[in-house]
Amino acid sequence: MDSNGTSSSHPWADLPTQLGDALAKANKVAENDGQLSAFTTSNAIDAPATFGIIGAGSDNAVLVTVTNGKADIKAGEAGKALFTLSALPEQWQEFFKQTPVAPYQSYWGMFGMNIKQEGISVAGDQDAFAHWTHVWRRVLELLHDAYAGETPVDDQADPEEDCIVGRYAYVNAGPLWGKCKIFYEQSGEGSQDIVFLHTAGSDSRQYHGVMNDSRAREKLRMTAFDLPAHGRSFPYEGYHPGNHTNTEDAYVGCIAAFVKKLGLNKPIICGASMAGQISLACAVRAEEVGCSGTIPLQGSDYLTMDRQWYDRSPYVNQSLFNPEWIYGMMSPTAPLANRQLVWHLYSAQAYGIFHGDLDMYFGGWDGRDRMKNIDTKKCPVYMLTGEYDWSNTPAMSQATCDKIPGGKHQAMKGLGHFPATENPKVFVGYLLEAVEHIQKAGA
């Protein structure tokens, strides 16, 4: 045993040795990898930077040296690295399976946010760790694929037409955000109104796959909007770049004002993550919002964590850090184009938007004493949670659902923190089941 309580006899204790020929194979692939090239090609990289990847307690590391346009991967001494990504041997063993289970689909999943996995640590220069998060993530993917083979991904039809129409509306979003020019999109010919809400630090393009799905268009009249200062919506009154924040009252008030402005008929409210929490808040405050049911995705009654500031820092590029932080929350079997869309949307938001939204997600929302007050005869609640989400797990959603009289919850196979975007084809099946329950329970 070493000082970390790790057995040095475990085959994954010495990571370079266990990877064997895969190390050289990954290095060869790295020479022509388009994504790695895009991440490393910059004249701003004027000196080599080296980071390491190790089994906990080992000095034998996979060393990655980044130069302009290249990342060289080889074995070496951990002490030569600016920082090292460390995990227990059994954790690396799970990561390097062809199709890992949650939370081993990514190093961020093992490292965690509000939920921390024991045995994971980043030693050395923490700022450098944040600076190079996009590179070390891609290198780990190349190492994984060189060793275990690429993770099989779900098929997805190539769309031929788009059925979504977008517009703008002026909405008085309440005292925090004030008047705002909000962008919204609609599709569908069904009789049931539903409002989709995007995750923290993103926008409603997350729902394009769902809003173009023929099954959803037949059953539903779908509306999705970008929160003030997000995506295609304009900044709100009193907004300064970097000063955005979010609260339950502001968010619920904005939804209620939007529903009233568009004259939506007792819509179902459905959103993920931060919007999953606010969907629960809407169930508590159903009369105020005017909704007939809610479908919280990746939601729970309370989350908290020690906040970090890399998502709002003058020293870290948030257009790289923010999408990397959340990229590993998705299912590894989701189509690559959809995972890349999630990355793009998080890279595209204005400075401080993500951090400000997390003011509500981590501690700003607290429904622990109010779930029991939800009247599911008037506002049925059907919670859905992707199995690959390591920030809001299915167990956490189930614990919340257990407090709601008449509440329902279902874990979603093969989906993660962004289920509607990761795999719309799979998600729509769960969605329509939830809608049917709400319509019957509220009849």
Side-chain angles (χ1 to χ4, degrees):
M1 291 282 186
D2 61 23
S3 60
N4 294 299
T6 302
S7 173
S8 59
S9 63
H10 194 291
W12 285 95
D14 187 334
L15 198 57
T17 299
Q18 180 63 26
L19 289 173
D21 293 342
L23 202 59
K25 182 179 178 182
N27 192 48
K28 183 66 175 177
V29 172
E31 294 177 1
N32 298 299
D33 182 67
Q35 183 60 83
L36 192 59
S37 176
F39 279 160
T40 58
T41 299
S42 171
N43 289 344
I45 303 174
D46 57 4
T50 299
F51 61 85
I53 308 168
I54 62 170
S58 175
D59 291 326
N60 197 19
V62 174
L63 290 182
V64 181
T65 299
V66 184
T67 54
N68 187 356
K70 185 179 180 181
D72 184 61
I73 308 168
K74 62 183 180 182
E77 298 175 7
K80 295 181 179 180
L82 282 170
F83 64 92
T84 55
L85 311 179
S86 177
L88 298 175
E90 53 268 31
Q91 292 167 328
W92 284 127
Q93 186 175 31
E94 291 296 324
F95 175 86
F96 280 100
K97 290 182 177 178
Q98 186 175 28
T99 304
V101 299
Y104 302 103
Q105 73 266 27
S106 69
Y107 189 79
W108 274 120
M110 297 190 290
F111 186 83
M113 274 186 191
N114 49 307
I115 302 173
K116 298 291 187 180
Q117 306 296 323
E118 291 188 13
I120 303 293
S121 65
V122 177
D125 189 330
Q126 299 299 301
D127 287 343
F129 162 72
H131 292 160
W132 296 108
T133 180
H134 53 308
V135 176
W136 59 249
R137 185 266 295 181
R138 184 56 184 157
V139 167
L140 279 171
E141 288 179 340
L142 296 180
L143 287 168
H144 171 276
D145 293 351
Y147 179 83
E150 294 184 12
T151 300
V153 299
D154 296 323
D155 294 331
Q156 178 171 259
D158 188 26
E160 297 293 335
E161 61 178 340
D162 191 280
C163 303
I164 301 171
V165 175
R167 297 181 178 88
Y168 279 95
Y170 283 100
V171 175
N172 189 332
L176 181 61
W177 295 334
K179 184 179 179 181
C180 181
K181 185 177 179 180
I182 285 180
F183 181 82
Y184 69 95
E185 299 171 308
Q186 292 181 308
S187 72
E189 302 79 40
S191 59
Q192 175 64 61
D193 272 320
I194 187 168
V195 176
F196 292 127
L197 307 172
H198 60 76
T199 59
S202 190
D203 64 56
S204 64
R205 284 175 286 180
Q206 292 178 330
Y207 290 96
H208 273 212
V210 174
M211 296 176 74
N212 277 307
D213 187 285
S214 60
R215 297 166 296 167
R217 287 190 287 111
E218 180 183 357
K219 299 280 187 181
L220 305 169
R221 182 172 179 262
M222 296 171 281
T223 303
F225 72 94
D226 295 352
L227 280 176
H230 293 65
R232 297 147 296 175
S233 288
F234 279 53
Y236 49 84
E237 293 177 328
Y239 170 84
H240 300 288
N243 79 337
H244 173 69
T245 190
N246 199 346
T247 68
E248 177 190 333
D249 286 344
Y251 203 166
V252 170
C254 183
I255 296 166
F258 179 80
V259 168
K260 183 177 180 181
K261 179 77 175 185
L262 268 63
L264 301 180
N265 180 29
K266 297 181 180 179
I268 294 171
I269 304 297
C270 175
S273 186
M274 171 187 76
Q277 293 175 334
I278 214 65
S279 295
L280 289 168
C282 286
V284 175
R285 304 165 64 165
E287 290 189 12
E288 176 185 348
V289 175
C291 59
S292 62
T294 71
I295 305 174
L297 313 172
Q298 317 308 126
S300 61
D301 54 3
Y302 184 72
L303 291 178
T304 191
M305 68 172 286
D306 293 331
R307 298 288 298 279
Q308 55 79 35
W309 284 79
Y310 288 134
D311 58 352
R312 183 183 159 189
S313 169
Y315 304 110
V316 174
N317 184 347
Q318 73 162 45
S319 67
L320 286 173
F321 179 84
N322 291 2
E324 287 298 327
W325 198 26
I326 57 82
Y327 188 81
M329 302 173 81
M330 292 180 278
S331 168
T333 63
L336 177 60
N338 299 348
R339 285 179 278 149
Q340 288 178 327
L341 174 61
V342 172
W343 196 102
H344 176 82
L345 295 180
Y346 271 84
S347 183
Q349 304 303 316
Y351 176 67
I353 292 294
F354 187 30
H355 187 92
D357 280 343
L358 294 183
D359 291 344
M360 199 206 81
Y361 185 65
F362 288 124
W365 151 252
D366 189 347
R368 287 175 289 185
D369 294 330
R370 293 187 284 163
M371 297 296 95
K372 64 181 181 295
N373 299 326
I374 295 175
D375 186 348
T376 53
K377 294 180 181 178
K378 294 182 179 179
C379 183
V381 176
Y382 198 115
M383 303 177 71
L384 294 169
T385 313
E387 64 175 341
Y388 273 99
D389 187 355
W390 42 261
S391 174
N392 192 116
T393 66
M396 294 163 68
S397 293
Q398 184 62 56
T400 295
C401 184
D402 290 342
K403 300 178 183 179
I404 303 172
K408 298 291 184 183
H409 172 250
Q410 186 175 6
M412 296 181 286
K413 296 291 186 182
L415 297 173
H417 192 75
F418 307 94
T421 319
E422 293 174 37
N423 199 325
K425 180 175 66 174
V426 173
F427 171 72
V428 166
Y430 288 105
L431 174 69
L432 294 179
E433 184 178 340
V435 169
E436 182 179 3
H437 167 81
I438 288 172
Q439 290 176 328
K440 290 180 178 179

